[in-house]
Amino acid sequence: MKPSRKPRAFLKWAGGKASISEKICRRLPKGRLLVEPFVGAGSIFLRSNYDAYILNDINPDLINLFKCVANDVETYIQDTKTFFNGEYNNKETYYQIREEFNQTTDPYHRSVLFLYLNRFCYNGLCRYNSKGIFNVPFGRYKKPYFPEIELRYFAKKASKATFTCLDFEEVFRTLPDDAIVYCDPPYAPISPTASFTSYAKDGFSAEQQEKLAHLSAMAALQKRIPVMISNHDTPFTREIYEQARLVFLKAARNISQKKDKRKKTKELLAIFTPESQAK
Protein backbone atom coordinates (compact mmCIF):
# COMPACT_ATOMS: atom_id res chain seq x y z
CA MET A 1 0.00 0.00 0.00
CA LYS A 2 1.29 3.45 -0.90
CA PRO A 3 2.31 5.54 2.15
CA SER A 4 -0.08 8.35 1.12
CA ARG A 5 -3.08 6.05 1.02
CA LYS A 6 -5.04 5.53 4.20
CA PRO A 7 -5.66 1.88 5.06
CA ARG A 8 -9.15 0.69 4.20
CA ALA A 9 -11.08 -2.44 5.07
CA PHE A 10 -11.22 -5.05 2.33
CA LEU A 11 -14.90 -5.71 3.06
CA LYS A 12 -17.88 -3.49 2.38
CA TRP A 13 -19.79 -3.25 5.64
CA ALA A 14 -23.06 -1.64 6.66
CA GLY A 15 -22.29 0.67 9.55
CA GLY A 16 -18.56 0.56 8.84
CA LYS A 17 -16.42 3.25 10.46
CA ALA A 18 -14.19 4.26 7.54
CA SER A 19 -15.62 7.80 7.27
CA ILE A 20 -15.18 8.64 10.96
CA SER A 21 -12.37 6.27 11.97
CA GLU A 22 -9.85 9.08 12.46
CA LYS A 23 -12.22 10.95 14.78
CA ILE A 24 -12.72 7.78 16.81
CA CYS A 25 -9.04 6.85 16.92
CA ARG A 26 -8.10 10.31 18.18
CA ARG A 27 -10.31 9.72 21.21
CA LEU A 28 -9.06 6.24 22.04
CA PRO A 29 -6.77 6.15 25.09
CA LYS A 30 -3.13 5.25 24.66
CA GLY A 31 -2.10 1.77 25.70
CA ARG A 32 -0.76 -1.58 24.59
CA LEU A 33 -3.85 -3.66 23.76
CA LEU A 34 -7.07 -2.77 21.96
CA VAL A 35 -10.02 -5.15 22.30
CA GLU A 36 -12.89 -4.96 19.80
CA PRO A 37 -15.88 -7.15 20.78
CA PHE A 38 -17.66 -6.17 17.51
CA VAL A 39 -14.84 -5.83 15.01
CA GLY A 40 -16.97 -5.74 11.85
CA ALA A 41 -14.86 -4.93 8.79
CA GLY A 42 -12.01 -3.71 11.02
CA SER A 43 -11.69 -0.02 10.15
CA ILE A 44 -10.66 0.99 13.67
CA PHE A 45 -8.16 -1.88 13.84
CA LEU A 46 -6.63 -0.72 10.54
CA ARG A 47 -6.44 2.98 11.45
CA SER A 48 -5.30 2.66 15.08
CA ASN A 49 -1.82 1.97 16.40
CA TYR A 50 -1.54 -0.51 19.25
CA ASP A 51 1.03 -3.20 19.99
CA ALA A 52 -1.62 -5.92 20.13
CA TYR A 53 -5.28 -6.51 19.32
CA ILE A 54 -8.04 -8.92 20.28
CA LEU A 55 -10.55 -8.81 17.43
CA ASN A 56 -13.85 -10.51 18.12
CA ASP A 57 -17.17 -10.90 16.35
CA ILE A 58 -20.16 -13.16 16.86
CA ASN A 59 -20.30 -13.82 13.11
CA PRO A 60 -18.26 -17.04 12.53
CA ASP A 61 -17.98 -16.42 8.77
CA LEU A 62 -16.33 -13.06 9.38
CA ILE A 63 -13.78 -14.39 11.89
CA ASN A 64 -13.09 -17.43 9.72
CA LEU A 65 -12.42 -15.12 6.77
CA PHE A 66 -10.00 -12.99 8.79
CA LYS A 67 -8.10 -16.06 9.95
CA CYS A 68 -7.79 -17.41 6.41
CA VAL A 69 -6.49 -14.08 5.10
CA ALA A 70 -4.02 -13.77 7.97
CA ASN A 71 -2.80 -17.35 7.50
CA ASP A 72 -1.93 -17.17 3.77
CA VAL A 73 -2.97 -14.00 2.00
CA GLU A 74 -1.26 -14.78 -1.31
CA THR A 75 -3.09 -18.07 -1.77
CA TYR A 76 -6.31 -16.39 -0.71
CA ILE A 77 -5.84 -13.62 -3.29
CA GLN A 78 -5.13 -16.16 -6.00
CA ASP A 79 -8.26 -18.15 -5.18
CA THR A 80 -10.64 -15.18 -4.92
CA LYS A 81 -9.41 -12.98 -7.75
CA THR A 82 -10.85 -15.31 -10.41
CA PHE A 83 -14.37 -14.34 -9.31
CA PHE A 84 -13.76 -10.72 -10.37
CA ASN A 85 -13.14 -11.22 -14.10
CA GLY A 86 -16.71 -10.36 -15.16
CA GLU A 87 -17.89 -13.93 -15.73
CA TYR A 88 -19.44 -14.10 -12.25
CA ASN A 89 -21.12 -10.70 -12.32
CA ASN A 90 -24.65 -11.78 -13.17
CA LYS A 91 -27.77 -12.59 -11.19
CA GLU A 92 -27.99 -16.29 -12.03
CA THR A 93 -24.37 -17.03 -11.10
CA TYR A 94 -24.62 -14.96 -7.93
CA TYR A 95 -27.54 -17.00 -6.61
CA GLN A 96 -25.78 -20.25 -7.50
CA ILE A 97 -22.73 -19.17 -5.51
CA ARG A 98 -24.89 -17.95 -2.65
CA GLU A 99 -26.52 -21.38 -2.50
CA GLU A 100 -23.09 -23.02 -2.62
CA PHE A 101 -21.96 -20.86 0.27
CA ASN A 102 -25.00 -21.79 2.34
CA GLN A 103 -24.45 -25.50 1.69
CA THR A 104 -20.70 -25.86 2.23
CA THR A 105 -19.14 -26.45 5.64
CA ASP A 106 -15.53 -26.21 4.45
CA PRO A 107 -14.01 -23.20 6.30
CA TYR A 108 -11.62 -22.09 3.57
CA HIS A 109 -14.16 -22.46 0.77
CA ARG A 110 -16.67 -20.43 2.79
CA SER A 111 -14.08 -17.70 3.27
CA VAL A 112 -13.48 -17.45 -0.49
CA LEU A 113 -17.19 -17.33 -1.31
CA PHE A 114 -17.83 -14.86 1.53
CA LEU A 115 -15.64 -12.22 -0.10
CA TYR A 116 -17.38 -12.75 -3.45
CA LEU A 117 -20.81 -12.38 -1.82
CA ASN A 118 -19.70 -9.29 0.08
CA ARG A 119 -18.53 -7.52 -3.07
CA PHE A 120 -21.34 -8.63 -5.39
CA CYS A 121 -24.37 -8.54 -3.07
CA TYR A 122 -26.66 -5.58 -2.51
CA ASN A 123 -24.77 -2.75 -0.79
CA GLY A 124 -22.29 -5.07 0.91
CA LEU A 125 -24.87 -6.21 3.44
CA CYS A 126 -24.25 -9.21 5.68
CA ARG A 127 -27.59 -10.65 6.67
CA TYR A 128 -28.80 -14.09 7.72
CA ASN A 129 -32.27 -15.46 8.30
CA SER A 130 -33.35 -17.26 11.49
CA LYS A 131 -31.83 -20.51 10.19
CA GLY A 132 -28.44 -18.92 9.60
CA ILE A 133 -28.86 -18.75 5.81
CA PHE A 134 -27.16 -15.83 4.05
CA ASN A 135 -29.99 -14.18 2.10
CA VAL A 136 -28.79 -10.84 0.68
CA PRO A 137 -29.86 -10.32 -2.96
CA PHE A 138 -27.67 -9.60 -5.98
CA GLY A 139 -26.24 -6.08 -6.11
CA ARG A 140 -26.12 -5.30 -9.85
CA TYR A 141 -22.76 -3.49 -9.88
CA LYS A 142 -21.01 -2.78 -13.19
CA LYS A 143 -17.57 -3.84 -12.01
CA PRO A 144 -17.10 -4.92 -8.38
CA TYR A 145 -13.73 -3.91 -6.96
CA PHE A 146 -11.23 -6.60 -6.01
CA PRO A 147 -9.48 -5.41 -2.80
CA GLU A 148 -6.04 -6.89 -3.39
CA ILE A 149 -4.11 -4.03 -1.80
CA GLU A 150 -6.43 -3.98 1.19
CA LEU A 151 -6.15 -7.75 1.70
CA ARG A 152 -2.35 -7.57 1.86
CA TYR A 153 -2.43 -4.66 4.28
CA PHE A 154 -4.88 -6.45 6.55
CA ALA A 155 -2.78 -9.64 6.52
CA LYS A 156 0.36 -7.70 7.41
CA LYS A 157 -1.23 -5.95 10.37
CA ALA A 158 -3.02 -9.14 11.48
CA SER A 159 0.31 -10.40 12.85
CA LYS A 160 -0.54 -8.22 15.88
CA ALA A 161 -4.04 -9.66 16.27
CA THR A 162 -5.77 -12.55 17.98
CA PHE A 163 -9.16 -13.44 16.45
CA THR A 164 -12.04 -14.80 18.52
CA CYS A 165 -15.69 -15.63 17.86
CA LEU A 166 -17.48 -15.11 21.17
CA ASP A 167 -20.53 -13.43 22.59
CA PHE A 168 -19.66 -9.90 23.73
CA GLU A 169 -20.47 -10.81 27.33
CA GLU A 170 -17.77 -13.48 27.26
CA VAL A 171 -15.29 -10.96 25.83
CA PHE A 172 -15.97 -8.63 28.76
CA ARG A 173 -15.62 -11.49 31.26
CA THR A 174 -12.11 -12.27 29.98
CA LEU A 175 -10.72 -8.74 29.46
CA PRO A 176 -7.00 -8.44 30.27
CA ASP A 177 -6.17 -5.83 32.90
CA ASP A 178 -4.29 -3.63 30.41
CA ALA A 179 -7.09 -3.62 27.80
CA ILE A 180 -8.67 -0.64 26.08
CA VAL A 181 -12.07 -1.50 24.60
CA TYR A 182 -13.81 -0.12 21.54
CA CYS A 183 -17.34 -1.39 20.80
CA ASP A 184 -19.19 -0.96 17.53
CA PRO A 185 -22.35 -3.01 18.12
CA PRO A 186 -25.27 -3.27 15.70
CA TYR A 187 -26.85 0.13 16.18
CA ALA A 188 -30.02 0.87 18.08
CA PRO A 189 -32.84 1.86 15.71
CA ILE A 190 -33.24 5.55 14.93
CA SER A 191 -37.01 5.28 15.28
CA PRO A 192 -39.34 2.93 17.22
CA THR A 193 -40.47 1.32 13.95
CA ALA A 194 -36.96 0.48 12.74
CA SER A 195 -35.45 -2.93 13.47
CA PHE A 196 -32.08 -3.96 14.82
CA THR A 197 -29.55 -4.99 12.20
CA SER A 198 -29.04 -8.74 11.89
CA TYR A 199 -25.32 -9.24 11.25
CA ALA A 200 -25.70 -12.64 12.89
CA LYS A 201 -28.74 -14.87 12.75
CA ASP A 202 -29.99 -13.89 16.24
CA GLY A 203 -29.80 -10.12 15.78
CA PHE A 204 -29.11 -7.63 18.59
CA SER A 205 -31.89 -6.58 20.96
CA ALA A 206 -32.59 -3.56 23.15
CA GLU A 207 -31.81 -5.72 26.19
CA GLN A 208 -28.40 -6.51 24.74
CA GLN A 209 -27.76 -2.81 24.16
CA GLU A 210 -28.51 -2.20 27.84
CA LYS A 211 -26.32 -5.13 28.89
CA LEU A 212 -23.41 -3.79 26.87
CA ALA A 213 -23.76 -0.38 28.53
CA HIS A 214 -23.81 -1.99 31.98
CA LEU A 215 -20.75 -4.17 31.29
CA SER A 216 -18.87 -1.13 29.99
CA ALA A 217 -19.63 0.86 33.13
CA MET A 218 -18.56 -2.08 35.32
CA ALA A 219 -15.32 -2.55 33.37
CA ALA A 220 -14.43 1.09 33.95
CA LEU A 221 -15.48 1.09 37.62
CA GLN A 222 -14.21 -2.30 38.81
CA LYS A 223 -11.28 -3.04 36.47
CA ARG A 224 -10.34 0.54 35.54
CA ILE A 225 -10.57 -0.43 31.87
CA PRO A 226 -11.72 2.40 29.57
CA VAL A 227 -14.51 1.52 27.13
CA MET A 228 -15.77 3.47 24.13
CA ILE A 229 -19.04 2.62 22.33
CA SER A 230 -20.38 3.92 19.01
CA ASN A 231 -24.13 4.11 18.43
CA HIS A 232 -26.94 6.22 17.01
CA ASP A 233 -27.76 9.36 18.96
CA THR A 234 -31.29 8.69 20.22
CA PRO A 235 -33.20 9.20 23.48
CA PHE A 236 -32.76 5.47 24.15
CA THR A 237 -28.97 5.49 23.77
CA ARG A 238 -28.58 8.71 25.77
CA GLU A 239 -30.51 7.02 28.56
CA ILE A 240 -28.53 3.77 28.64
CA TYR A 241 -25.23 5.68 28.42
CA GLU A 242 -26.06 8.17 31.16
CA GLN A 243 -22.98 7.07 33.13
CA ALA A 244 -20.64 7.86 30.24
CA ARG A 245 -19.22 11.02 28.76
CA LEU A 246 -20.88 11.57 25.38
CA VAL A 247 -19.27 12.90 22.22
CA PHE A 248 -21.51 13.64 19.22
CA LEU A 249 -20.59 12.96 15.60
CA LYS A 250 -22.17 12.97 12.16
CA ALA A 251 -21.48 10.06 9.81
CA ALA A 252 -22.52 9.23 6.27
CA ARG A 253 -24.49 6.01 6.12
CA ASN A 254 -24.47 4.12 2.84
CA ILE A 255 -28.05 2.90 3.09
CA SER A 256 -28.74 3.61 -0.58
CA GLN A 257 -26.73 2.60 -3.65
CA LYS A 258 -27.27 6.12 -5.02
CA LYS A 259 -24.87 8.69 -3.59
CA ASP A 260 -27.41 11.52 -3.80
CA LYS A 261 -29.75 9.62 -1.45
CA ARG A 262 -27.16 8.92 1.23
CA LYS A 263 -27.65 11.05 4.31
CA LYS A 264 -25.63 11.86 7.39
CA THR A 265 -26.93 10.42 10.63
CA LYS A 266 -26.33 11.65 14.15
CA GLU A 267 -24.08 9.35 16.14
CA LEU A 268 -22.51 9.39 19.55
CA LEU A 269 -19.49 7.99 21.31
CA ALA A 270 -20.16 6.85 24.86
CA ILE A 271 -16.87 7.00 26.76
CA PHE A 272 -16.70 5.06 30.01
CA THR A 273 -13.60 5.80 32.09
CA PRO A 274 -12.66 5.13 35.72
CA GLU A 275 -12.98 8.87 36.34
CA SER A 276 -16.49 9.08 34.88
CA GLN A 277 -17.66 6.20 37.08
CA ALA A 278 -16.26 7.83 40.23
CA LYS A 279 -18.87 10.60 40.15
Side-chain angles (χ1 to χ4, degrees), residues 5-256:
R5 186 173 182 178
K6 296 177 181 179
R8 297 187 303 175
F10 66 83
L11 291 171
K12 298 169 69 176
W13 206 255
K17 290 296 173 288
S19 65
I20 56 173
S21 59
E22 290 187 8
K23 294 179 181 178
I24 293 172
C25 288
R26 283 200 300 266
R27 291 174 169 85
L28 285 171
K30 294 181 179 180
R32 185 191 70 85
L33 170 67
L34 181 66
V35 179
E36 292 197 57
F38 309 85
V39 66
S43 291
I44 300 304
F45 159 63
L46 294 168
R47 295 281 180 92
S48 60
N49 186 24
Y50 290 87
D51 294 332
Y53 295 83
I54 295 176
L55 305 179
N56 179 81
D57 204 277
I58 196 64
N59 185 330
D61 288 318
L62 180 65
I63 296 303
N64 174 61
L65 167 61
F66 287 166
K67 288 181 177 179
C68 289
V69 171
N71 182 57
D72 187 351
V73 68
E74 294 305 323
T75 298
Y76 186 83
I77 287 173
Q78 180 180 335
D79 292 340
T80 52
K81 197 171 186 177
T82 56
F83 288 98
F84 291 75
N85 61 12
E87 179 183 348
Y88 296 86
N89 191 18
N90 62 80
K91 187 175 181 179
E92 181 180 356
T93 302
Y94 172 84
Y95 287 114
Q96 289 175 351
I97 293 177
R98 192 181 75 172
E99 178 64 20
E100 184 179 347
F101 172 82
N102 284 322
Q103 292 296 326
T104 185
T105 58
D106 178 77
Y108 183 72
H109 192 46
R110 283 185 73 87
S111 76
V112 170
L113 299 184
F114 190 82
L115 180 61
Y116 165 83
L117 292 173
N118 175 262
R119 284 285 167 178
F120 286 75
C121 76
Y122 176 74
N123 219 26
L125 292 174
C126 183
R127 186 185 65 199
Y128 301 82
N129 66 18
S130 60
K131 295 181 179 179
I133 301 299
F134 186 91
N135 62 2
V136 183
F138 182 55
R140 300 182 184 276
Y141 296 103
K142 290 183 178 180
K143 189 178 181 180
Y145 172 70
F146 180 64
E148 185 169 346
I149 294 173
E150 290 81 0
L151 282 163
R152 288 199 174 97
Y153 186 88
F154 182 95
K156 182 179 180 181
K157 191 162 186 180
S159 62
K160 295 183 175 183
T162 298
F163 299 97
T164 60
C165 185
L166 302 169
D167 181 88
F168 72 91
E169 294 185 45
E170 180 63 23
V171 176
F172 271 86
R173 278 194 291 269
T174 57
L175 284 176
D177 291 338
D178 61 345
I180 292 162
V181 183
Y182 172 68
C183 297
D184 184 23
Y187 276 16
I190 296 177
S191 67
T193 57
S195 61
F196 286 90
T197 307
S198 251
Y199 294 106
K201 66 178 181 179
D202 297 324
F204 203 76
S205 67
E207 290 74 17
Q208 288 172 303
Q209 297 280 0
E210 293 171 344
K211 184 67 174 181
L212 175 61
H214 173 72
L215 290 175
S216 300
M218 290 301 98
L221 177 63
Q222 298 176 355
K223 295 186 176 182
R224 303 192 65 79
I225 293 175
V227 182
M228 184 184 296
I229 307 176
S230 291
N231 215 320
H232 281 139
D233 177 17
T234 70
F236 171 71
T237 55
R238 290 194 185 200
E239 179 182 352
I240 65 174
Y241 300 145
E242 64 179 356
Q243 292 180 276
R245 179 170 66 88
L246 301 183
V247 175
F248 301 97
L249 305 171
K250 287 186 178 180
R253 283 285 156 252
N254 298 335
I255 297 171
S256 172

